[in-house]
Amino acid sequence: MRLRALLDTDALGLRLLGGEDELDRTVRGVMTTDLRDPSRYLGGGELVLTGLAWRRDAADTEPFVRILATAGVAALAAGEAELGDIPDDLVEACARHRLPLFAVNESVAFATITEHVVRQVSGERAGDLAAVVDRHRRLMTSGPAGGGPDVVLDLLGSDLDLRAWVLSPAGRAIAGAAAGAPGLSARVRARLAGEHLAAARTGRRGPHRVAVDGVTYSLFPIRSSGRGSAGASRDVRETVLSDWLLAVEADAGDWPEERLDLLQGVTQLIAVERDRRDAARTVRRRLAQEVLELVQTGAAPAEIAARLRVAAPVLLPGLGAAPHWQVVVARVEWDEVQGGPAADAGGRRAGEPSGSSIDGGRRAGIESGPVAQALLEEILVDPATAGPDPSDRIAVAHTGDEAIALVPLPAMSPEAEGGDAGLLADALLAAVREPLTAGLADDGRLTLGVSAAVHSAEGLRGALEEARHARRVAAARPGRVCAAGHQELASHVLLLPFVPDDVRRAFTARLLDPLREYDRRHRAELIPTLEAFLDCDGSWTRCATRLHLHVNTLRYRVGRIEQLTGRDLARLEDKLDFFLALRMS
C-alpha cells in the first residue's frame, strides 16, 4: 500500500505534518517503538509508530530521525497522547531527511493503525494467504465465534501447509498444533524457547533458525503492539523474558520476501491477542496489589479477610472462598555492566546518558519489578496446560524489584495441612529452568521463594515474610535460576550444635535476658507466651486459646516482648531469632 492511502482512511486519525511529495512511497509493514535506536528491528519500508517516550529534549530528535531515514523507513507517525502537539524540532528534522511525518490523534490506538496496515499489506503481497488477513477480526473476537491465534495458525496450515505454534518465553504451548497434538514435546518447546531467548539477548534479528532432532524451525518474535507497552521499552532485558514467539516448522532461510512479510504480519496480529490477555490480567493484578498493601501496612486481619473474600471468587470461580493461601516472591536482578567494546571509559554503553548508574546489581532504568511479575505469572501456570489464558487463578503484584503472588488453594485434607501441600519451589522451576537461564544469559538472575500454606488473613504477613526469607536463601545459591521453599527454613536448626558456646550465650542473653528479668519481677510469663506464640505460627486466636487468655491480653504481652527486645514478631527474621534463642537456651 502507499502512504497516500493512509490519509484517505479517516478512522486512522492521521494528519500530515510534512513530506507531501513523498506520499507515493510504498508501506511494507508497521512497527511500534519508543527505542532511541530501533535500527536492529528495521528492514526498510515500515510505517514507524512512536509515542515519543524516547525524546527527552530537542537534542534527541536528530539522531532518531537520522536512524529511521538511514534504515529506509516509509514514514514516521507520532502520537499526540503524551506531549500534545508534535514538537517543531521533530517536524524540522523529518523535513531535512525527507521523511514523511504524520500526527496520530490521541483518540486513535496504535493497534488500530497496525491492524489496518497489516490487513492491507498482507492482502496485497500474499494473495495465497489473504484469508488470514480478511478473517483477522476473528482473532480479536471473544467467545465461541473467536478462537484467538489458533484461527490464524489453522489457516497457515491449511493454506500454506505450515505447522506453527505460539510459545511462551518458558516454552509453554499457547496456540497451534502443540496445544493439542503430540507433535511438539515439552523438551522441544523448552529448547526452542531457550534458543529464541538466547538469540534475542544477543540482538540478532528474527527469524532465528534452529535444528532440533533433525527438524528445522524458524522462530519469529511476537512483540506487544499496544501504545506505551513493554514492547517499546529502552532495554531488551525488560521484554525478552515476557515476549511470545511464533515457531514455524520450516526453514525460512530461502523464503521469498513476500512470505517473510506475511509471517511478520501474522506475528503482529497475534500480538493484539497478547495485549488482550495482558489487559484481562489487570483485575487479578489489582486484587493482589490491594491485599499486599493491606498486609504490608499492618491492616487489621478483619479488613484483610474482607478483601480476600472479594478476591476468592475471581481467582477460584465456583468455590466462593479459598480456605488456604500461599505466597510466592520472585526477584529478577541484573549484574553490573562491565566495561568493554560496548561501554565507554565510565562503564556506560554507547548512547547511554551520562546520568545512568548502577544500583544494587542492576542498571538504572531497567524496571525489574514488571519483568519479575510477568515471569511469575508464567511460572505459576501448570506447564501441562495450553491456551493463551489458563492463569485465572494467579494474582501477582509487584513492588520495587520484587513480584509477589497470592495463590489460592482449594480445601486440603487435615493430613496435608502443614505438610508439602500446595506449590513446591523446585517443582515450579523444573519445566522452565532451561529457557529462562538462556534468557537471563550471563548478567541476569531469577530467585524465587515459596511460603507454607496459611488458612487465615492473620497468617498472610508471616507467609509473605517467609516467602521473602526463602527467596533470600535461594539467592545465596549458585546458578541463574534458583528457588527455595518454606521447608528449607527449618534447616537452621541443624546449625545449632556447631555454634560456639560463647556465641550461643551472648545471642540468647541479648534476646531473652530482658524477658526473663521482666518475668522475675512481674511474673508476667513472657517467655512461655513467646514459646506458645511461635509454636502457633503467630496465630493470635490459636495462641490465646492454648494459653487460656483473651486475645487482647495476648496482644499486650507480645507488645511488651517487642518493646523490651526491640524486635517485631510480625517479621520472619525476628521470629527466627527468637526461635533459635529458645532452642539454644
Side-chain angles (χ1 to χ4, degrees):
M1 66 176 300
R2 299 188 184 279
L3 288 175
R4 193 178 303 278
L6 295 174
L7 289 174
D8 295 335
T9 307
D10 294 337
L12 300 183
L14 294 176
R15 180 164 50 88
L16 184 65
L17 299 181
E20 185 175 358
D21 296 336
E22 306 291 334
L23 290 181
D24 287 327
R25 290 188 181 186
T26 299
V27 180
R28 298 176 55 250
V30 62
M31 176 191 178
T32 299
T33 186
D34 274 312
L35 289 167
R36 301 180 74 184
D37 181 2
S39 57
R40 61 181 173 179
Y41 301 117
L42 298 172
E46 296 92 348
L47 170 66
V48 175
L49 306 174
T50 180
L52 298 178
W54 51 266
R55 183 185 180 277
R56 299 175 184 175
D57 53 47
D60 294 331
T61 300
E62 173 65 24
F64 180 79
V65 174
R66 184 171 60 250
I67 288 169
L68 300 188
T70 302
V73 305
L76 174 66
E80 296 178 323
E82 293 295 327
L83 302 180
D85 292 338
I86 305 304
D88 291 339
D89 52 87
L90 181 59
V91 177
E92 294 166 1
C94 288
R96 283 195 299 272
H97 290 276
R98 300 183 63 82
L99 181 65
L101 174 63
F102 298 94
V104 182
N105 189 280
E106 62 179 354
S107 65
V108 178
F110 283 0
T112 300
I113 300 174
T114 298
E115 293 167 30
H116 178 83
V117 173
V118 168
R119 182 172 67 250
Q120 297 298 322
V121 171
S122 298
E124 293 173 3
R125 295 193 173 191
D128 58 348
L129 246 186
V132 174
V133 180
D134 292 340
R135 295 164 62 186
H136 78 286
R137 292 194 180 278
R138 291 182 60 189
L139 176 65
M140 279 71 76
T141 302
S142 59
D150 278 305
V151 173
V152 174
L153 300 191
D154 287 346
L155 289 170
L156 283 176
S158 62
D159 291 11
L160 288 185
D161 197 25
L162 290 175
R163 296 214 313 157
W165 302 264
V166 177
L167 304 180
S168 77
R172 182 173 57 86
I174 293 171
L184 206 59
S185 67
R187 179 185 64 84
V188 173
R189 296 199 307 268
R191 171 75 184 281
L192 294 178
E195 294 286 348
H196 162 72
L197 291 173
R201 283 303 309 273
T202 62
R204 301 206 313 267
R205 294 186 62 183
H208 315 300
R209 289 175 290 163
V210 179
V212 181
D213 298 336
V215 179
T216 299
Y217 300 88
S218 297
L219 311 179
F220 296 79
I222 299 173
R223 298 186 177 90
S224 182
S225 64
R227 184 196 306 249
S229 66
S233 299
R234 294 182 306 240
D235 195 303
V236 68
R237 287 175 289 185
E238 294 185 60
T239 61
V240 68
L241 296 175
S242 59
D243 282 344
W244 289 354
L245 68 138
L246 175 66
V248 181
E249 190 180 292
D251 187 344
D254 57 356
W255 280 6
E257 187 174 340
E258 289 77 12
R259 180 164 290 197
L260 287 173
D261 285 346
L262 171 69
L263 267 293
Q264 295 292 353
V266 169
T267 65
Q268 291 173 331
L269 291 177
I270 296 172
V272 176
E273 174 66 21
R274 170 63 189 273
D275 290 342
R276 283 185 51 185
R277 194 286 311 261
D278 287 343
R281 285 185 170 179
T282 301
V283 173
R284 297 191 291 275
R285 288 174 171 175
R286 185 181 301 118
L287 286 172
Q289 194 71 44
E290 291 174 353
V291 173
L292 174 63
E293 290 175 358
L294 290 174
V295 171
Q296 293 193 128
T297 55
E303 187 177 359
I304 299 174
R307 179 56 55 186
L308 289 177
R309 284 193 294 271
V310 173
V314 177
L315 303 178
L316 286 176
L319 295 185
H324 296 85
W325 298 87
Q326 229 170 337
V327 176
V328 183
V329 172
R331 188 181 181 96
V332 174
E333 297 173 292
W334 304 103
D335 294 343
E336 182 172 342
V337 178
Q338 302 296 326
D344 63 17
R348 296 187 300 272
R349 297 199 177 208
E352 185 176 79
S354 58
S356 295
S357 62
I358 308 298
D359 178 25
R362 66 184 184 90
R363 198 143 69 96
I366 298 178
E367 294 187 79
S368 295
V371 177
Q373 181 182 44
L375 267 182
L376 193 49
E377 288 172 335
E378 175 62 31
I379 290 170
L380 290 174
V381 177
D382 184 346
T385 63
D389 193 18
S391 55
D392 56 357
R393 289 177 49 196
I394 298 167
V396 183
H398 75 82
T399 173
D401 291 337
E402 186 179 67
I404 302 169
L406 184 67
V407 182
L409 301 175
M412 296 183 290
S413 65
E415 296 78 13
E417 293 190 31
D420 291 341
L423 303 174
L424 300 178
D426 289 338
L428 285 176
L429 294 183
V432 301
R433 192 182 304 273
E434 177 187 348
L436 293 187
T437 299
L440 292 163
D442 59 355
D443 63 347
R445 284 201 81 200
L446 167 68
T447 51
L448 184 144
V450 182
S451 79
V454 295
H455 69 282
S456 68
E458 289 181 329
L460 274 183
R461 185 172 180 185
L464 174 58
E465 292 298 328
E466 188 174 58
R468 282 173 166 162
H469 189 67
R471 191 206 63 78
R472 288 192 287 271
V473 171
R477 297 171 175 168
R480 291 290 170 188
V481 180
C482 298
H486 62 94
Q487 304 93 334
E488 300 175 63
L489 301 185
S491 62
H492 292 81
V493 180
L494 302 177
L495 302 176
L496 297 185
F498 302 98
V499 178
D501 288 343
D502 57 339
V503 175
R504 292 159 65 102
R505 283 192 295 268
F507 182 78
T508 57
R510 185 167 61 251
L511 279 177
L512 301 183
D513 279 1
L515 306 183
R516 289 172 178 149
E517 178 61 20
Y518 191 90
D519 281 349
R520 186 185 63 79
R521 289 188 289 110
H522 300 281
R523 298 182 180 180
E525 297 187 338
L526 295 186
I527 292 290
T529 300
L530 175 62
E531 292 175 327
F533 187 73
L534 295 176
D535 194 47
C536 291
D537 298 323
S539 170
W540 298 100
T541 304
R542 282 191 288 145
C543 184
T545 301
R546 174 179 295 190
L547 295 175
H548 305 289
L549 298 173
H550 191 279
V551 172
N552 288 343
T553 303
L554 175 61
R555 291 185 185 276
Y556 172 83
R557 288 188 182 181
V558 170
R560 179 64 68 182
I561 291 171
E562 293 174 336
Q563 181 183 27
L564 291 170
T565 61
R567 300 299 185 100
D568 181 1
L569 275 167
R571 297 181 69 248
L572 179 64
E573 292 91 336
D574 290 343
K575 286 181 183 177
L576 182 60
D577 285 347
F578 279 123
F579 173 79
L580 294 175
L582 290 169
R583 285 296 183 92
M584 290 190 293
S585 63

